[in-house]
Amino acid sequence: NTIQGSVSVGTGGVTEGLRNRVVFPVAMTNQQTHHVLGHELVHAFQYHMVLEGDSTNMQNLGNIPLWMTEGLAEYMSIGRVDAHTALWMRDAVLHNDLPRLRDLNSYKYFPYRWGQAFWAFVTGAYGDGAIRSLYMNTAMYGLEPALQLTLGTTSDSLSVAWQRSLRNYYGQWVTVGQKDDKKDK
């Protein structure tokens, strides 16, 4: 009865923005518990920034794509480098399935992994100072205007740079597998 509706088995935690509370069970390991707690506290901070902002309100939350919100919570709770996200990125490079930013709204691209990879790229290119301004500008104006205002680029240009970066970095580990696949055929 803590939250409305049922919570699926795969849900690690829930953050309620309006009640300003985090609900989650203690996980099987301390590491899992710390990760979920950190992730949910980032959501609490995100809600606080938008709901208590001087130019934003609850309606502005609808302007922020899910992958930006979940990806930022992952990025802030486990960091830039994560073996699980790296696995997803290597697989995408191997199968030449790198999305553009506009594609990330599709159910095909898991928002936690792709969002974390997005934020790792953005902070690597523009610094950690870009996080708050890009997030808040997205809440106020939507993604495309926020990218132009905050980073001075378009989603198409940023997508190309991000895809190139992923191919260059993860491609070094998958090219051998690609050559072996061609030999087998």
Side-chain angles (χ1 to χ4, degrees):
N1 65 0
T2 306
I3 61 170
Q4 262 187 328
S6 60
V7 178
S8 74
V9 173
T11 301
V14 176
T15 301
E16 294 180 301
L18 297 178
R19 293 186 179 172
N20 198 24
R21 65 181 177 178
V22 172
V23 179
F24 71 99
V26 175
M28 299 212 20
T29 67
N30 282 339
Q31 181 181 3
Q32 291 169 321
T33 299
H34 292 156
H35 170 234
V36 172
L37 178 58
H39 180 100
E40 296 305 326
L41 288 176
V42 171
H43 286 323
F45 183 68
Q46 290 167 328
Y47 279 124
H48 178 75
M49 280 193 323
V50 174
L51 296 177
E52 302 298 323
D54 61 356
S55 302
T56 52
N57 57 41
M58 189 183 324
Q59 284 85 12
N60 294 107
L61 291 171
N63 291 337
I64 307 169
L66 179 65
W67 57 266
M68 267 188 110
T69 296
E70 294 299 348
L72 183 56
E74 285 295 281
Y75 176 79
M76 298 298 286
S77 63
I78 59 179
R80 172 186 310 275
V81 178
D82 174 57
H84 192 192
T85 298
L87 175 122
W88 284 64
M89 299 305 113
R90 283 192 309 268
D91 187 65
V93 168
L94 176 66
H95 293 96
N96 198 27
D97 186 20
L98 296 174
R100 296 167 297 182
L101 293 182
R102 71 175 71 119
D103 298 329
L104 293 178
N105 294 319
S106 167
Y107 69 91
K108 180 179 177 183
Y109 300 103
F110 190 54
Y112 293 73
R113 302 287 63 87
W114 287 100
Q116 180 192 11
F118 165 80
W119 284 109
F121 172 73
V122 166
T123 58
Y126 298 93
D128 287 342
I131 294 173
R132 187 180 193 288
S133 55
L134 181 57
Y135 195 81
M136 289 303 290
N137 284 335
T138 302
M140 287 188 278
Y141 309 114
L143 181 60
E144 191 65 43
L147 290 172
Q148 189 65 51
L149 181 66
T150 310
L151 307 179
T153 189
T154 65
S155 64
D156 289 337
S157 294
L158 192 62
S159 294
V160 168
W162 183 39
Q163 290 170 336
R164 184 181 321 112
S165 174
L166 290 171
R167 277 190 193 95
N168 289 341
Y169 185 74
Y170 292 105
Q172 62 187 318
W173 290 290
V174 298
T175 54
V176 173
Q178 289 171 339
K179 289 177 187 172
D180 291 344
D181 288 346
K182 290 176 184 174
K183 289 178 188 175
D184 292 340
K185 290 181 181 178

